[in-house]
Amino acid sequence: MGSSIAWKQLLLNALESNTHLKHSSYMQLATIGTNGKPSNRTVVFRGFQDNTDNILVNTDTRTRKIEELKICSSAEICWYFTDSWEQFRINGHVDIIDATNPDPLKLQQREKSWFAGSVRSRAQYLWPNPGLPCLNEQSRTEILLDPSIGPVDAFCLLILEPDEVDYLNLKSNQRLTFRSSLNAEAKKNWIVERVNP
Amino acid sequence: MGSSIAWKQLLLNALESNTHLKHSSYMQLATIGTNGKPSNRTVVFRGFQDNTDNILVNTDTRTRKIEELKICSSAEICWYFTDSWEQFRINGHVDIIDATNPDPLKLQQREKSWFAGSVRSRAQYLWPNPGLPCLNEQSRTEILLDPSIGPVDAFCLLILEPDEVDYLNLKSNQRLTFRSSLNAEAKKNWIVERVNP
């Protein structure tokens, strides 16, 4: 099958047809917990990295997923579109771009993602340590952030590079599996197969 | 905090307030793949096992998750309610009840779950092997199942027994962690803690 049914195009189509739903950019990211058990949470799709299939997600360096991804970088996104009844299972590995990253291009990408978010969402990275016992109720809404300030330490960009994508359409009952491999020039190549739903 | 904010009650409330949405019973189940990588897919909530906190899910014995759960029974459900902005992360272990189960009570539960599904949904368990290459297009819609016939071999009931539940409310920005332990009489006891969102 040709590139016309590449999974990225299917995903862009699904986003387009579900765009009226706020939650259409919400997807579930599964990782391996530090105890070896599965770990699963909702994250927000922040677009693709320029000219790639790589998926961008913003997160807080203080969340459990960072600790988990440092030990095992493998992850699987499950993304269900409630209006078009399409599911994407996107398996790959995650690159963690925090303030300590030595690559200037990656730090630039992190800064870009920071400024792409609303000022209000940026202030969340100054909230108390996520997941730790809640000591007091106030302070959260009081934080005001200078809109010109660059990414704070807790801000972290995740870049998921997909290796395998399983696409399921529950309206047509069609299912496609996309697998990537590297060709002789170390360029990524996708192979698609129709499988039973 | 008392039993009035037990996670099961929060979940029942969320189901109640999102009941007008067909997809409110859809949740994402993460497991450990046989290759050690995370695996994540949408499944449908089929209710609680009588008088317990245990979550019921119907599935096909021929799907990859069965193979995975046989090796590692740990799983985490991530369940996001799109209308009330609530997320439940439910970690536990999964009991697989297929036709070969030696426990008559469990087989009874499996039969009950089978007949609770529509005749149309039951016919799916006679479809070609899920995930295998699709050889032909027809046959699927042609299958008619006698409504009085009991569970077919491919029908499998999963029972997830929760150990830990993380509840997040994005409207109130409240987050609660529920952890279970066994007391002296081997009875399950839940402890709740308010944590930072």
Side-chain angles (χ1 to χ4, degrees):
Chain A
M1 297 185 205
S3 61
S4 58
I5 56 144
W7 67 266
K8 189 180 173 181
Q9 192 54 52
L10 287 172
L11 184 53
L12 291 171
N13 295 350
L15 274 166
E16 173 86 20
S17 63
N18 292 269
T19 190
H20 56 293
L21 300 168
K22 180 191 151 66
H23 64 261
S24 66
S25 61
Y26 292 14
M27 51 196 194
Q28 278 69 39
L29 178 77
T31 51
I32 309 283
T34 53
N35 55 10
K37 295 180 181 178
S39 198
N40 203 4
R41 81 287 286 159
T42 306
V43 293
V44 181
F45 173 72
R46 303 288 181 183
F48 288 102
Q49 193 181 19
D50 291 345
N51 310 314
T52 71
D53 289 343
N54 300 342
I55 288 174
L56 304 177
V57 171
N58 296 342
T59 193
D60 192 305
T61 51
R62 301 167 298 172
T63 57
R64 216 155 40 183
K65 61 176 113 36
I66 297 301
E67 206 183 334
E68 294 171 356
L69 287 166
K70 278 181 178 165
I71 296 172
C72 172
S73 66
S74 289
E76 184 158 284
I77 287 169
C78 181
W79 197 350
Y80 183 71
F81 289 90
T82 57
D83 226 34
S84 60
W85 299 12
E86 291 169 287
Q87 173 182 266
F88 293 81
R89 298 172 62 180
I90 306 171
N91 204 296
H93 54 272
V94 176
D95 198 6
I96 304 168
I97 322 288
D98 64 13
T100 68
N101 201 291
D103 184 337
L105 281 176
K106 289 182 177 174
L107 286 177
Q108 213 169 33
Q109 174 77 66
R110 173 173 173 263
E111 192 177 70
K112 194 177 160 191
S113 294
W114 168 262
F115 285 112
S118 68
V119 178
R120 192 157 168 265
S121 72
R122 288 179 222 162
Q124 294 185 4
Y125 295 95
L126 297 174
W127 286 8
N129 205 321
L132 290 193
C134 186
L135 299 174
N136 54 43
E137 306 276 321
Q138 34 80 268
S139 79
R140 206 164 295 149
T141 47
E142 297 160 21
I143 299 166
L144 284 174
L145 196 74
D146 181 340
S148 67
I149 278 177
V152 298
D153 278 352
F155 181 75
C156 183
L157 172 66
L158 302 180
I159 304 182
L160 183 135
E161 186 180 344
D163 296 322
E164 196 172 323
V165 178
D166 184 286
Y167 168 76
L168 175 65
N169 186 316
L170 286 177
K171 285 189 179 166
S172 64
N173 270 320
Q174 290 205 332
R175 185 172 167 191
L176 300 170
T177 300
F178 299 84
R179 283 188 189 86
S180 71
S181 58
L182 296 180
N183 65 14
E185 292 90 40
K187 221 186 153 245
K188 217 188 214 177
N189 210 26
W190 287 95
I191 292 162
V192 62
E193 185 175 33
R194 172 164 281 173
V195 297
N196 296 319
Chain B
M1 298 185 205
S3 60
S4 59
I5 56 143
W7 68 265
K8 189 180 174 180
Q9 192 54 52
L10 287 171
L11 184 53
L12 292 171
N13 296 350
L15 274 166
E16 173 86 21
S17 64
N18 292 269
T19 190
H20 56 292
L21 300 168
K22 181 192 152 66
H23 64 261
S24 65
S25 62
Y26 291 14
M27 50 197 195
Q28 278 69 39
L29 178 78
T31 51
I32 310 283
T34 52
N35 55 9
K37 294 181 181 179
S39 197
N40 203 4
R41 81 286 286 160
T42 306
V43 293
V44 181
F45 174 72
R46 301 290 180 180
F48 288 102
Q49 193 181 20
D50 291 345
N51 310 312
T52 71
D53 290 344
N54 300 341
I55 287 172
L56 303 177
V57 171
N58 296 342
T59 192
D60 192 305
T61 52
R62 302 167 297 173
T63 57
R64 215 155 41 183
K65 60 175 115 35
I66 298 300
E67 206 183 334
E68 295 173 354
L69 288 166
K70 278 181 178 165
I71 296 171
C72 172
S73 66
S74 289
E76 185 158 282
I77 287 167
C78 181
W79 197 351
Y80 183 71
F81 289 90
T82 56
D83 226 35
S84 60
W85 300 11
E86 292 167 288
Q87 174 182 265
F88 294 81
R89 297 173 62 181
I90 306 172
N91 203 296
H93 53 274
V94 176
D95 198 6
I96 304 168
I97 323 288
D98 64 14
T100 69
N101 201 290
D103 185 338
L105 282 175
K106 289 182 176 173
L107 287 177
Q108 213 168 32
Q109 175 77 66
R110 173 173 173 265
E111 192 177 70
K112 194 178 158 188
S113 294
W114 168 262
F115 284 112
S118 68
V119 179
R120 194 157 166 265
S121 72
R122 287 178 223 163
Q124 294 185 3
Y125 295 95
L126 297 175
W127 286 8
N129 206 321
L132 290 194
C134 186
L135 298 175
N136 54 43
E137 304 276 322
Q138 36 80 269
S139 80
R140 207 164 293 148
T141 46
E142 296 160 20
I143 299 166
L144 284 173
L145 197 74
D146 181 339
S148 66
I149 278 177
V152 298
D153 277 353
F155 180 75
C156 182
L157 172 66
L158 301 180
I159 305 183
L160 182 135
E161 186 179 345
D163 296 321
E164 196 171 324
V165 177
D166 185 285
Y167 169 75
L168 175 65
N169 187 316
L170 286 177
K171 285 189 179 167
S172 64
N173 270 319
Q174 290 203 333
R175 184 173 169 192
L176 300 169
T177 300
F178 299 84
R179 282 189 189 85
S180 71
S181 58
L182 296 179
N183 65 15
E185 291 89 40
K187 221 187 153 243
K188 216 188 214 176
N189 209 26
W190 286 95
I191 293 161
V192 61
E193 185 176 34
R194 172 165 281 173
V195 297
N196 296 320

